[in-house]
Amino acid sequence: MTSSKSGFRLLLPEITILLIPTVFFYLLTSTLVGGGIVTSPIPWTCTFATLIFCWQMFAYQCLWWSPDRDQYSHQPAPISNNLSSKLLLVWTLWMTSHFVCVLIGAPLFESAAETAAWSTLVTCLLSPPVLSLLDADVDVWMQVLLCGQHEDDRQQRLVYYQACGVALGSWLSTFTVPLDWDRPWQKWPIPIVSGAVLGYCAGVLASCLVTIRRSKSSKFH
């Protein structure tokens, strides 16, 4: 019983602050508002991206806490005042995601606005945790996002798993686009938007599971 409570305690920040709001905002903009993303993918994808970006920035700064402590003390994640580094991160994420999407088969000119909307979503999903949990340190960004070297740090691992989830989810979802099903949700960029969101959620859950496993293993050493 104590072990299960401890595991749930470890899951609380990611589940309550990240996972549940993401699912809620996605359902709100995709199904509850007249079809949302399915009927009008560009404006509603950007709406969802804006909502999740604002929520994450608020959550990381005002609600994020460390469950490793005995007390649930709020720990606002520090954000550096280096504005140029912040803008560099946001711009790089947007450009990289857009470029990679074109490389794997997205239309270069025909659906540029749709691809740009997806790139905006990716940027809004990933830039808040990077800025809030890794601060404006370009070397750490490169180390965590590109090399996967999170040094068994819980927050760095979360950011890395989120990025991997978004990338893998988006890539896997592209396999539904060429299928001859003639479904409205196959319209570009709806599959990769859904894939990015599902991958983000999967990354958060994967990070939670690894955290619990590492926590249980440490008790036996």
Side-chain angles (χ1 to χ4, degrees):
M1 186 69 174
T2 303
S3 177
S4 62
K5 285 184 178 180
S6 176
F8 180 73
R9 188 171 182 261
L10 285 170
L11 287 172
L12 275 176
E14 286 87 344
I15 296 296
T16 58
I17 295 176
L18 301 179
L19 193 60
I20 293 176
T22 300
V23 173
F24 171 75
F25 287 138
Y26 182 71
L27 291 176
L28 181 67
T29 55
S30 62
T31 59
L32 301 182
V33 189
I37 290 175
V38 176
T39 56
S40 304
I42 297 177
W44 282 109
T45 296
C46 293
T47 299
F48 170 74
T50 303
L51 287 173
I52 199 63
F53 177 85
C54 293
W55 169 256
Q56 285 193 97
M57 292 303 295
F58 166 76
Y60 282 121
Q61 293 305 303
C62 302
L63 304 178
W64 189 259
W65 71 87
S66 172
D68 302 321
R69 289 171 170 261
D70 292 332
Q71 302 294 329
Y72 280 88
S73 58
H74 291 294
Q75 292 185 322
I79 289 186
S80 171
N81 292 323
N82 192 338
L83 181 60
S84 61
S85 294
K86 298 178 190 177
L87 294 177
L88 173 64
L89 169 73
V90 174
W91 177 251
T92 301
L93 280 175
W94 192 92
M95 287 295 296
T96 301
S97 58
H98 193 96
F99 179 70
V100 170
C101 197
V102 171
L103 281 182
I104 63 176
L108 180 58
F109 299 110
E110 182 180 350
S111 302
E114 287 82 354
T115 305
W118 173 80
S119 300
T120 301
L121 171 63
V122 171
T123 303
C124 289
L125 283 172
L126 298 182
S127 57
V130 173
L131 286 174
S132 300
L133 302 182
L134 304 186
D135 202 12
D137 189 332
V138 178
D139 291 336
V140 176
W141 297 347
M142 299 288 286
Q143 171 187 319
V144 174
L145 294 177
L146 295 184
C147 302
Q149 298 176 359
H150 43 73
E151 298 178 353
D152 202 27
D153 179 88
R154 176 183 179 145
Q155 298 189 147
Q156 292 183 6
R157 181 171 60 245
L158 173 63
V159 174
Y160 176 67
Y161 278 38
Q162 286 172 326
C164 289
V166 169
L168 186 60
S170 299
W171 177 68
L172 290 176
S173 66
T174 60
F175 290 96
T176 64
V177 176
L179 296 178
D180 190 20
W181 293 346
D182 295 325
R183 306 300 297 176
W185 52 264
Q186 287 181 274
K187 181 181 178 182
W188 187 265
I190 299 170
I192 60 171
V193 167
S194 301
V197 176
L198 291 174
Y200 173 87
C201 294
V204 172
L205 285 176
S207 178
C208 288
L209 294 176
V210 172
T211 298
I212 291 176
R213 183 172 61 84
R214 296 282 175 88
S215 176
K216 289 182 177 179
S217 298
S218 64
K219 293 179 181 180
F220 296 100
H221 296 287

